[in-house]
Amino acid sequence: SQQGEEDPQALSIQEGENATMNCSYKTSINNLQWYRQNSGRGLVHLILIRSNEREKHSGRLRVTLDTSKKSSSLLITASRAADTASYFCATALFMETSGSRLTFGEGTQLTVNP
Amino acid sequence: DAGITQSPRHKVTETGTPVTLRCHQTENHRYMYWYRQDPGHGLRLIHYSYGVKDTDKGEVSDGYSVSRSKTEDFLLTLESATSSQTSVYFCAISESEILGQPQHFGDGTRLSIL
């Protein structure tokens, strides 16, 4: 079963607005990662937040993590048409032999209208 | 972009035929992964490798086998393709045992089984 579940499944906003996507998960994790996928391409890593961190920033991205609620959010500020993509959260559990095993949610499709 | 090449990028084949997908990396990363991406399921791990000749099963491994004879190449084989294996297949790599290293993805192989 999928560990991460994103909400909403789809989000449509105007350029310049902020976009917030949420992710919930079920079991304990080592870290949570957010990825972006443009149509027809592979996933691109955006940001990683460790289980002992509560908030992290990277450019226009802000990620929060609440381990007590088993949830995370990704905020994209001042969105641009180029931000249109699918966004996935992935929970990571480190296995000694296999590195970081990631379990992905189904993604949020973000459309930013010019 | 991480040096990951998947081949072929598109393939159409018939039920019952064997199919092999190739992932080639130029990053000398130890860990390699095969995922499939389907609507409503997100990305699901098929098999992974934690070194040359060291592989293990993921959550959806039935009907698939893998081989890794060199650090740079990870092959995914569908022994006898079925229509349920129509999907987009992604290869990913990650660098080391460092906790929670992000994964880097290829651009996928779109496989259609008729």
Side-chain angles (χ1 to χ4, degrees):
Chain A
S1 63
Q2 293 297 321
Q3 164 81 310
E5 295 183 4
E6 285 96 340
D7 170 60
Q9 289 187 336
L11 180 61
S12 181
I13 60 174
Q14 296 299 122
E15 215 166 20
E17 294 179 340
N18 295 342
T20 300
M21 288 159 271
N22 302 296
C23 171
S24 60
Y25 58 93
K26 298 176 182 175
T27 66
S28 62
I29 59 173
N30 293 122
N31 67 61
L32 186 144
Q33 304 176 23
W34 285 91
Y35 288 78
R36 165 194 170 124
Q37 183 181 32
N38 287 79
S39 181
R41 302 297 301 275
L43 278 70
V44 175
H45 179 259
L46 294 177
I47 195 166
L48 179 155
I49 186 165
R50 303 195 187 285
S51 58
N52 61 354
E53 297 175 311
R54 292 297 167 258
E55 187 171 314
K56 203 160 184 180
H57 296 255
S58 176
R60 294 184 296 111
L61 306 181
R62 172 179 170 253
V63 170
T64 62
L65 179 65
D66 186 336
T67 52
S68 66
K69 294 181 179 179
K70 292 187 170 55
S71 66
S72 173
S73 67
L74 171 67
L75 168 68
I76 304 174
T77 60
S79 63
R80 307 165 181 167
D83 294 328
T84 294
S86 293
Y87 292 83
F88 295 86
C89 70
T91 51
L93 188 61
F94 181 71
M95 312 288 283
E96 187 170 330
T97 54
S98 63
S100 56
R101 294 277 301 271
L102 294 182
T103 304
F104 290 83
E106 294 178 25
T108 292
Q109 172 61 49
L110 173 66
T111 302
V112 182
N113 301 297
Chain B
D1 290 345
I4 307 169
T5 304
Q6 292 188 232
S7 59
R9 292 295 315 280
H10 302 272
K11 186 172 181 68
V12 180
T13 191
E14 294 183 346
T15 300
T17 60
V19 177
T20 296
L21 309 182
R22 180 182 183 235
C23 178
H24 178 78
Q25 60 144 331
T26 58
E27 306 296 321
N28 202 36
H29 284 0
R30 176 180 174 187
Y31 302 96
M32 299 186 76
Y33 309 84
W34 277 108
Y35 293 90
R36 61 178 288 174
Q37 184 177 34
D38 304 287
H41 291 280
L43 270 80
R44 292 178 291 175
L45 182 65
I46 305 171
H47 281 281
Y48 60 94
S49 170
Y50 45 97
V52 174
K53 298 194 190 307
D54 292 323
T55 65
D56 206 345
K57 297 178 180 179
E59 64 176 300
V60 290
S61 60
D62 286 350
Y64 302 95
S65 63
V66 290
S67 65
R68 191 168 178 201
S69 59
K70 299 184 290 185
T71 298
E72 57 266 34
D73 289 325
F74 193 31
L75 304 181
L76 176 71
T77 297
L78 288 65
E79 306 288 351
S80 177
T82 68
S83 57
S84 65
Q85 293 175 310
T86 292
S87 186
V88 182
Y89 292 85
F90 288 96
C91 173
I93 64 175
S94 64
E95 184 172 5
S96 72
E97 306 94 287
I98 295 174
L99 193 66
Q101 280 290 97
Q103 293 181 12
H104 304 282
F105 286 78
D107 281 336
T109 293
R110 186 172 296 273
L111 178 63
S112 296
I113 300 166
L114 307 177

